[in-house]
Amino acid sequence: MTSTNEAGSRFGQAVVLTVLTTTDAAQKAQDLASGAVAARVAACAQIAGPVVSVYRWEGAVETAQEWQVLFKTTAGRYDALEAWLTEAHDYDTPEIIATPVVRGSAAYLEWVEQETAE
């Protein structure tokens, strides 16, 4: 049965990652999502928000409304996605964190790999 698969397993799929960032406006989130997919550094992106973020910045505790953007990419394309986000993002220190996908539909994981191929 090949309906689910461990990422990066013997079936040949690349290791797939979810990569999260946040921004302070819905349109900025849309621009980041669309731009990364167009550049083929992410296969897709979902936007959620607004969310409330609480964080320490320059010695003070801050609270802000933000939008989360969750990208799907491969481990092999992570560096390109991070570089793209760092350049496109307007935050001084944008949140860019990656989490490996440990299991998923074999067909979906293959699709992510195909859509991010150079």
Side-chain angles (χ1 to χ4, degrees):
M1 180 176 211
T2 60
S3 62
T4 61
N5 188 13
E6 290 186 40
S9 76
R10 64 191 172 280
F11 297 107
Q13 278 85 11
V15 173
V16 173
L17 306 173
T18 60
V19 179
L20 179 68
T21 195
T22 57
T23 191
D24 60 1
Q27 186 59 55
K28 290 179 185 179
Q30 178 66 45
D31 293 345
L32 290 171
S34 297
V37 171
R40 298 187 74 95
V41 293
C44 64
Q46 286 82 38
I47 300 167
V51 298
V52 176
S53 295
V54 180
Y55 54 94
R56 183 174 298 279
W57 184 251
E58 297 180 347
V61 175
E62 303 284 341
T63 301
Q65 181 173 279
E66 293 186 299
W67 280 257
Q68 295 178 325
V69 187
L70 186 65
F71 301 91
K72 310 307 185 322
T73 194
T74 61
R77 293 293 279 155
Y78 174 81
D79 288 342
L81 175 58
E82 181 181 335
W84 190 92
L85 286 171
T86 299
E87 179 67 27
H89 211 295
D90 66 341
Y91 283 12
D92 292 338
T93 308
E95 173 183 18
I96 304 172
I97 56 173
T99 304
V101 173
V102 296
R103 292 190 61 85
S105 156
Y108 182 81
L109 299 177
E110 184 177 329
W111 174 80
V112 171
E113 185 176 10
Q114 290 171 352
E115 292 305 314
T116 56
E118 292 184 74

